[in-house]
């Protein structure tokens, strides 16, 4: 089983603050995805990163893939209550079977 | 409607009973997956399928059976339900490394 570690497990911040979530593995990914999940729903894909060093932006969300393709981060600028949710990273090692991190529960207080 | 649907959304069953969770996708994606989500474990892969009539075990396959006679359907059967199989089950489909998830089935085994 490929291990994918996500940190922190929980994050509670005030509206307007910034936050960063990390995803690390000892293995090299073929690709890495970030998902967001709301209570009672399935995960929804936010972004896929494939190339080492890649940076992708989605409005106030910035996703970075490590140069060695073993780690990734998700940074949210000026968080809003609507950003509250469970953020999951998932790695693919070339066989389309995703392995997920345990998730980071983000709470943004108004 | 296009997408991926799971049924039922909620199910309570007794220990020892056989129960089948249904998954249907309208995209004609080649790959389909079953995950279970438990607190502290994130999403773990139970079974996956690369095409009709091709299935393989994931990380936690014991006690589960799958079949895929048609591309669009991928049912998951618990042959003899146990309390440890109480969980939220998600079906997903993909045509590459980006997966699209259903809304989940919350299964309680009493």
């Amino acid at each position: 089983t490929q291990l994918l570690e996500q940190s922190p497990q929980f994050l509670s911040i005030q509206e307007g603050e910034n936050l960063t979530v990390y995803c690390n593995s000892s293995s090299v990914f073929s690709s890495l995805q970030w998902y967001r999940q709301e209570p009672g729903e399935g995960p929804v894909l936010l972004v896929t990163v494939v190339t080492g060093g890649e940076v992708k932006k989605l409005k106030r969300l910035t996703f970075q893939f490590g140069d060695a393709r073993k780690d990734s981060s998700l940074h949210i600028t000026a968080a809003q209550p609507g950003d509250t949710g469970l953020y999951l990273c998932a790695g693919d090692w070339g066989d389309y079977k995703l392995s997920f991190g345990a998730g980071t529960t983000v709470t943004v207080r108004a | 409607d296009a997408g991926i649907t799971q049924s039922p959304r909620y199910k309570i069953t007794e220990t020892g009973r056989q129960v089948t969770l249904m998954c249907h996708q309208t995209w004609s994606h080649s790959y389909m997956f079953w995950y279970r989500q438990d607190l502290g474990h994130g999403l773990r892969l139970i079974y996956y399928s690369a095409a009709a009539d091709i299935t393989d075990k994931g990380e936690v396959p014991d006690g589960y059976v799958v079949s895929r006679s048609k591309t669009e359907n991928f049912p998951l059967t618990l042959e003899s339900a146990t309390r440890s199989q109480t969980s939220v089950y998600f079906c997903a489909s993909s045509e590459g490394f980006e997966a699209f998830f259903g809304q989940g089935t919350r299964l309680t085994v009493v």
Side-chain angles (χ1 to χ4, degrees):
Chain A
T1 302
Q2 307 281 8
L3 289 179
L4 213 155
E5 296 182 355
Q6 213 172 317
S7 62
Q9 189 176 358
F10 299 96
L11 202 50
S12 180
I13 61 171
Q14 201 70 34
E15 182 177 3
E17 294 182 337
N18 301 333
L19 69 94
T20 303
V21 177
Y22 299 92
C23 181
N24 296 284
S25 173
S26 58
S27 302
V28 176
F29 300 114
S30 292
S31 69
L32 186 137
Q33 291 88 53
W34 285 94
Y35 292 81
R36 183 175 153 214
Q37 185 179 18
E38 299 196 18
E41 301 293 328
V44 175
L45 180 68
L46 295 174
V47 78
T48 299
V49 286
V50 178
T51 306
E54 185 175 3
V55 177
K56 282 192 174 180
K57 293 192 175 184
L58 188 67
K59 297 182 180 177
R60 293 176 293 99
L61 278 60
T62 301
F63 304 87
Q64 198 157 1
F65 202 14
D67 290 340
R69 287 163 46 214
K70 292 183 178 181
D71 57 273
S72 181
S73 64
L74 156 62
H75 183 79
I76 301 179
T77 303
Q80 299 176 0
D83 294 325
T84 292
L86 177 66
Y87 289 83
L88 297 157
C89 65
D92 158 57
W93 280 271
D95 55 4
Y96 300 153
K97 294 185 296 180
L98 295 177
S99 290
F100 282 82
T104 296
T105 300
V106 171
T107 303
V108 182
R109 305 185 304 276
Chain B
D1 289 348
I4 183 164
T5 55
Q6 293 183 235
S7 62
R9 289 293 312 274
Y10 303 92
K11 177 76 176 177
I12 300 174
T13 192
E14 294 178 339
T15 302
R17 297 258 188 183
Q18 183 182 82
V19 61
T20 296
L21 311 183
M22 305 301 292
C23 179
H24 176 78
Q25 54 111 351
T26 60
W27 293 302
S28 298
H29 284 166
S30 297
Y31 291 87
M32 294 190 76
F33 309 87
W34 275 105
Y35 289 88
R36 60 177 290 174
Q37 188 173 34
D38 306 288
L39 279 173
H41 289 282
L43 284 150
R44 291 181 291 175
L45 182 64
I46 304 170
Y47 268 96
Y48 71 102
S49 169
D53 297 322
I54 300 175
T55 63
D56 205 351
K57 297 178 180 179
E59 182 186 351
V60 288
D62 292 345
Y64 303 95
V65 174
V66 293
S67 63
R68 195 168 175 207
S69 57
K70 293 184 178 182
T71 299
E72 61 266 31
N73 296 323
F74 191 38
L76 176 73
T77 297
L78 287 68
E79 296 181 293
S80 178
T82 65
R83 290 200 178 94
S84 64
Q85 292 177 310
T86 292
S87 185
V88 182
Y89 291 85
F90 287 100
C91 177
S93 72
S94 76
E95 197 55 59
F97 41 66
E98 297 177 338
F100 298 89
F101 285 80
Q103 289 187 299
T105 295
R106 182 174 293 275
L107 176 68
T108 302
V109 183
V110 297

